[in-house]
Amino acid sequence: MAVAVGRIGHEDRLSVVDHLQELRGRLIVSLAALAVAFGLCMWQNHALLRVINRPLSSQTQKEVRAGRGPLGATYTVQQSARTVATQLQTVIGALQRPSSGVSRATRASLAAVNPQLQRAIARLSKAPDGNKPVTLGIGEPFATTIGVALIFALILALPVILYQLYGFLLPAFSPQQQRITSALMLSIPFLFVAGVAFGYFVVLPAAVRFLQNFNSGEFNVLVQANQYYHFAAVTLLAMGLVFQIPVGILAATRTGIVTPAQLRQNRRYALLACGLVAALLPGDAITLVLETVPLYLLFEASLLLAALLERRERRRPRADHGES
């Protein structure tokens, strides 16, 4: 029999071949979503790299302005040269005055030097360079761009891939469970996007700040592009998956694996687990708290929603019995 993706019911009896056909259809949809996301990432690879570089750029600029590392030393020399050029411009301005006692020919020569000093001061006043990760091989810029586009295409397409995965497993649930699970499936992309945003704005900057500052006085810190992009992608992907906690909790409670009361009794273990997850991510004590609190709030919100759904399910048989 021909199997249409998303048309299989709980009562349908399918052969192994039919299941494989449905799996193939869902794999095709997932690969198509990945291909579209990859094309989008390659088309906008410059914008994508600028967005990913922003947490590193902000921290690197602070390091350079503080004079740390080879780039910081270069910037310190640049600022010293600017100070000398500014002072020299002041001296030339004083010598150009008619009351300075300098001959007219000398003042004319100094007038020709002054514009050059102004251009030099403008160049030396620019913001410090070195806010981008470095590449070491001749083909590394191309290979890194392809790798970044592929990794972040996976992040963009992952909600669709997870949706297809849950859709493949959905017919195994009863119709009542499917109604609940369908609502959970709709929340998957939103939770994933929220997790990625949390990782980008909170976790990644804190991780870069902690790792770049750790024992930085003993090293000349230059960040390699391939390693940084891999680290950023893993961090964002991990946070997107961690934010799927509500889906897992509601699925476990609705299928009867665990009850909201049991989760409520073991709340302290959930807090400990959230703290351990936050501790595995780089950062200082303040960052640890900033990462633990949202994870625990997700758990509490999931627990509250599970309890409300359980209470509604208990009322429904009573209402049906009253009508009969």
Side-chain angles (χ1 to χ4, degrees):
M1 63 182 280
V3 179
V5 175
R7 299 292 181 86
I8 298 177
H10 178 70
E11 302 298 330
D12 293 339
R13 295 293 180 264
L14 304 180
S15 65
V16 175
V17 175
D18 293 330
H19 280 297
L20 291 177
Q21 287 180 348
E22 189 206 2
L23 179 61
R24 182 187 63 181
R26 295 191 179 277
L27 286 176
I28 291 174
V29 173
S30 299
L31 290 175
L34 183 61
V36 171
F38 178 73
L40 178 63
C41 290
M42 282 301 298
W43 174 46
Q44 295 293 331
N45 67 86
H46 295 289
L48 176 63
L49 292 175
R50 282 195 296 269
V51 169
I52 304 170
N53 286 342
R54 191 167 294 132
L56 178 65
S57 174
S58 176
Q59 182 59 34
T60 303
Q61 290 283 8
K62 295 178 182 178
E63 295 293 312
V64 173
R65 290 182 186 277
R68 301 189 184 100
L71 297 175
T74 302
Y75 181 66
T76 301
V77 173
Q78 174 183 331
Q79 293 306 296
S80 299
R82 180 183 180 278
T83 301
V84 172
T86 303
Q87 293 174 350
L88 183 58
Q89 188 180 38
T90 303
V91 172
I92 291 176
L95 293 175
Q96 282 182 313
R97 296 172 186 171
S99 59
S100 63
V102 178
S103 65
R104 183 176 299 178
T106 303
R107 290 201 301 269
S109 301
L110 293 176
V113 172
N114 197 43
Q116 299 177 6
L117 280 175
Q118 290 179 347
R119 288 193 295 269
I121 291 173
R123 288 195 300 267
L124 294 171
S125 300
K126 292 181 179 179
D129 294 327
N131 57 344
K132 300 177 182 177
V134 299
T135 56
L136 303 179
I138 188 172
E140 190 171 348
F142 174 77
T144 301
T145 302
I146 295 294
V148 168
L150 184 58
I151 292 174
F152 283 89
L154 176 61
I155 293 177
L156 290 178
L158 196 58
V160 177
I161 296 174
L162 290 175
Y163 187 88
Q164 293 299 320
L165 174 62
Y166 291 146
F168 180 72
L169 301 175
L170 191 62
F173 297 98
S174 65
Q176 181 180 358
Q177 292 172 333
Q178 286 186 18
R179 286 195 297 270
I180 300 170
T181 308
S182 298
L184 294 179
M185 290 174 63
L186 293 176
S187 66
I188 290 171
F190 298 102
L191 288 172
F192 186 82
V193 171
V196 171
F198 178 76
Y200 179 77
F201 290 106
V202 177
V203 178
L204 187 58
V208 171
R209 182 174 62 252
F210 173 78
L211 293 175
Q212 274 205 294
N213 287 328
F214 184 81
N215 216 9
S216 59
E218 304 298 325
F219 303 95
N220 289 329
V221 180
L222 291 175
V223 181
Q224 189 173 354
N226 190 26
Q227 295 180 356
Y228 169 70
Y229 293 139
H230 179 267
F231 173 77
V234 170
T235 300
L236 298 183
L237 184 60
M239 294 311 303
L241 293 177
V242 166
F243 267 58
Q244 301 296 315
I245 288 176
V247 176
I249 291 177
L250 290 177
T253 55
R254 302 312 298 162
T255 54
I257 298 176
V258 67
T259 64
Q262 291 174 332
L263 291 175
R264 200 176 296 111
Q265 292 173 357
N266 295 279
R267 185 180 276 119
R268 59 184 181 276
Y269 297 112
L271 180 59
L272 177 62
C274 293
L276 289 176
V277 171
L280 292 176
L281 300 172
D284 51 20
I286 297 178
T287 306
L288 177 65
V289 175
L290 291 176
E291 294 166 353
T292 302
V293 170
L295 296 179
Y296 184 70
L297 290 179
L298 278 176
F299 171 80
E300 288 293 340
S302 305
L303 184 58
L304 177 61
L305 183 57
L308 291 175
L309 291 175
E310 184 184 47
R311 195 174 304 166
R312 189 181 68 175
E313 291 297 323
R314 288 177 180 175
R315 291 174 182 167
R316 184 173 296 173
R318 296 177 186 175
D320 295 340
H321 181 71
E323 292 176 0
S324 60

